[in-house]
Amino acid sequence: MRETPLSNCERQFILQAIAEKQRLDGRQTYDYRNIKITFGTEYGSCIVELGKTRVLAQVSCELVTPKPSRPTEGIIFFNLELSPMASPAFEPGRQSELLVKLNRLLERCLRNSKCIDTESLCVVAGAKVWQIRVDLHLLNHDGNIIDAASVAAIVALSHFRRPDVSIQGEDVTVYSPEERDPIPLSIHHMPIAVSFAFFQQGTYLLVDPIEHEERVMDGLLVIAMNKHRELCTIQSSGGIMLLKEQVLRCTKIAGVKVAEITELMQKALENDKKVRKEGGKFGFAESIPNKRITTFKLDETPVDTDGVEEQAEEIVSKAEPSTLPVPKPIVRAPGTGQIGEGIQNEWMINDLEEEEEEDEEDIVPEPGAQSLGNDNEKASTHTDAEIVQLSDSEEEEKIILEPGAMQKKGRKINSEEAQQISTNDTVPKNKNKKKQKKKGVQQ
């Protein structure tokens, strides 16, 4: 993703503010942003915040074979990564020109300046040496990456501890931190890079430029120096021509800034060492202020409850009695109680009354209903009525009409009972017919 360019209005506004000796964040021309150093739980891990620019540094080590040209010296390797998390302009897995330039500048500032004693990293000459690897990750980009990266790298190296080793013949034994205390690296000095931005062909100068100021600057001068005012490296980019007086002026300013930053680094290292020795809490999580995260548990506020009952009694005694009647509970049964007068529930009563009225209107006696009743009475008077089966199923209701009886209510009968009833009624009829035939023959 390409970086969003600045508009002409923004560019003119920044340049005009610089010409008036004003900056976007309210700093003066030679002011540095606040630096915050936080150490992790392990040795060699730290986060350096330069304003809103954040860099994470992690140092690791391993035993490797030394270079043939330098068999008694250890190896130091620096790796800076620019992730898209820091800025959308950075692409993952691709080395840009900015990344190559920053890595080379770090190697010149820290490795070529011989700030670390590489000979102390030798275990067995020509066979085993320590390789120190410094990984730097840019977490947030707000300008001046090289200054934040150089501070993070040298602080992480000063905080790192390598494992102790012992040699018996050709065998090399590496001890864990529980077995033996780790050993710090031998550091001669602490080189720190300071960046200077030039505007309008060197007319105006700013220290520690932010991202917007880097976009409109004409050139950049980086000076790496230690607190002894020893120049470690210097690099100019942008193609501008600088006078000798300008370079000397920048070196004097860099000397003052490096001394201040070195003192801050040493204080941070001493505080971390003191906390670890006393067994206090340390790490990245402990550095987060409680005000920024609301999920942290707040301290409980003590509440004085002495004399609360007496105060409550005084308030009740001084209060005027209420004129409204207080309902008494009605005890329906032992163990139960009711507060209030027990008003009848009126939920959905109106709807139920309307439904009942509609049902009454629907059920209206018709004139033909009486005639049906008379017909049923007449039908019941016939003597020769036969059984009427409405269905042959075993579970349905059947209505049976018998002679000389009123209409009975239907009941459920099965098929076997229906057959027995029909046979009992038909047998007498057959007997009567046979008797009549015999009488006729005799006559």
Side-chain angles (χ1 to χ4, degrees):
M1 182 177 178
R2 296 184 60 184
E3 188 176 8
T4 305
L6 289 176
S7 63
N8 293 333
C9 295
E10 291 176 328
R11 186 179 296 273
Q12 293 175 2
F13 177 81
I14 295 172
L15 293 175
Q16 185 177 358
I18 293 171
E20 296 176 0
K21 296 184 180 181
Q22 295 180 358
R23 304 180 72 170
L24 298 179
D25 51 4
R27 291 182 292 156
Q28 298 297 325
T29 304
Y30 301 144
D31 288 349
Y32 227 80
R33 286 178 289 181
N34 294 329
I35 298 176
K36 182 181 178 181
I37 301 173
T38 307
F39 296 100
T41 55
E42 298 180 357
Y43 286 108
S45 62
C46 70
I47 293 179
V48 174
E49 299 181 16
L50 181 59
K52 293 183 179 180
T53 302
R54 301 182 66 194
V55 178
L56 169 65
Q58 178 66 51
V59 182
S60 59
C61 65
E62 61 177 345
L63 288 173
V64 296
T65 305
K67 295 180 180 180
S69 59
R70 296 181 178 178
T72 61
E73 293 184 4
I75 301 172
I76 302 176
F77 179 73
F78 296 93
N79 179 35
L80 175 63
E81 293 184 3
L82 306 178
S83 63
M85 180 179 64
S87 175
F90 301 143
E91 298 181 4
R94 181 180 177 182
Q95 286 191 350
S96 60
E97 295 181 1
L98 176 63
L99 181 58
V100 174
K101 184 179 70 173
L102 293 174
N103 278 318
R104 289 179 179 176
L105 191 55
L106 277 175
E107 291 181 356
R108 289 170 53 191
C109 176
L110 298 172
R111 187 174 64 182
N112 298 344
S113 63
K114 303 294 182 180
C115 65
I116 298 176
D117 185 9
T118 55
E119 292 184 357
S120 64
L121 301 175
C122 179
V123 180
V124 179
K128 296 289 184 181
V129 296
W130 286 108
Q131 179 183 2
I132 306 299
R133 179 186 176 92
V134 183
D135 292 305
L136 300 168
H137 300 269
L138 183 64
L139 303 179
N140 189 35
H141 175 42
D142 192 29
N144 202 6
I145 301 173
I146 186 61
D147 290 16
S150 65
V151 173
I154 193 64
V155 169
L157 288 170
S158 302
H159 187 255
F160 179 68
R161 303 288 188 273
R162 67 171 178 82
D164 193 7
V165 295
S166 64
I167 304 171
Q168 293 179 357
E170 296 181 356
D171 296 335
V172 178
T173 304
V174 180
Y175 296 96
S176 62
E178 290 78 12
E179 296 173 348
R180 289 188 181 181
D181 293 336
I183 300 174
L185 301 179
S186 178
I187 299 176
H188 298 305
H189 59 90
M190 294 182 178
I192 298 171
V194 181
S195 300
F196 300 90
F198 293 92
F199 301 87
Q200 297 183 5
Q201 298 300 319
T203 306
Y204 301 102
L205 170 66
L206 292 180
V207 178
D208 184 21
I210 60 175
E211 183 184 7
H212 291 295
E213 294 171 348
E214 287 181 349
R215 292 189 185 184
V216 300
M217 67 182 181
D218 296 332
L220 183 68
L221 178 65
V222 179
I223 298 176
M225 187 181 295
N226 57 22
K227 65 177 182 179
H228 306 294
R229 293 183 179 271
E230 295 175 349
L231 191 65
C232 300
T233 184
I234 184 169
Q235 178 177 334
S236 176
S237 59
I240 60 171
M241 301 296 294
L242 297 177
L243 300 176
K244 180 179 66 175
E245 290 79 8
Q246 290 177 324
V247 176
L248 293 175
R249 183 183 179 186
C250 292
T251 54
K252 291 179 181 180
I253 297 172
V256 176
K257 299 300 179 184
V258 166
E260 296 176 356
I261 297 172
T262 304
E263 184 179 359
L264 177 64
M265 292 163 51
Q266 290 177 351
K267 287 183 179 179
L269 291 169
E270 290 176 0
N271 292 336
D272 182 76
K273 184 178 179 181
K274 182 179 179 181
V275 171
R276 291 175 185 269
K277 186 176 181 180
E278 294 176 354
K281 296 182 179 180
F282 54 88
F284 295 140
E286 300 299 329
S287 65
I288 302 175
N290 295 340
K291 296 181 180 179
R292 294 187 181 180
I293 297 182
T294 57
T295 56
F296 280 2
K297 184 178 179 180
L298 299 177
D299 297 334
E300 296 181 357
T301 304
V303 179
D304 187 10
T305 58
D306 296 338
V308 174
E309 296 181 358
E310 298 177 356
Q311 294 178 3
E313 292 178 357
E314 292 180 1
I315 294 172
V316 172
S317 61
K318 293 180 180 179
E320 297 179 358
S322 177
T323 57
L324 298 175
V326 179
K328 297 181 179 180
I330 301 174
V331 180
R332 302 291 182 182
T336 62
Q338 178 180 351
I339 297 175
E341 298 178 357
I343 301 175
Q344 185 179 3
N345 186 10
E346 297 181 356
W347 177 259
M348 301 290 290
I349 289 178
N350 296 330
D351 296 341
L352 294 174
E353 291 178 355
E354 292 178 359
E355 291 180 359
E356 291 177 357
E357 292 177 358
E358 291 178 358
D359 295 341
E360 292 176 358
E361 292 177 358
D362 294 340
I363 303 173
V364 178
E366 296 181 358
Q370 297 178 356
S371 62
L372 291 174
N374 296 330
D375 293 340
N376 292 334
E377 292 177 358
K378 292 178 181 180
S380 63
T381 57
H382 293 290
T383 58
D384 296 335
E386 296 181 356
I387 298 170
V388 179
Q389 296 183 3
L390 300 179
S391 176
D392 295 336
S393 63
E394 296 181 1
E395 297 181 356
E396 292 182 356
E397 294 183 356
K398 298 179 181 291
I399 299 175
I400 301 173
L401 300 178
E402 295 181 356
M406 297 297 292
Q407 185 179 0
K408 297 181 180 180
K409 294 183 181 179
R411 63 183 183 90
K412 293 183 179 180
I413 59 175
N414 52 20
S415 59
E416 295 180 357
E417 294 177 355
Q419 290 178 1
Q420 291 178 1
I421 294 170
S422 62
T423 53
N424 293 332
D425 292 341
T426 54
V427 169
K429 291 182 180 180
N430 293 333
K431 289 181 179 180
N432 294 331
K433 288 181 180 181
K434 288 181 180 180
K435 289 180 180 180
Q436 292 176 1
K437 288 181 181 181
K438 287 181 180 182
K439 289 181 180 181
V441 172
Q442 291 176 0
Q443 292 176 358

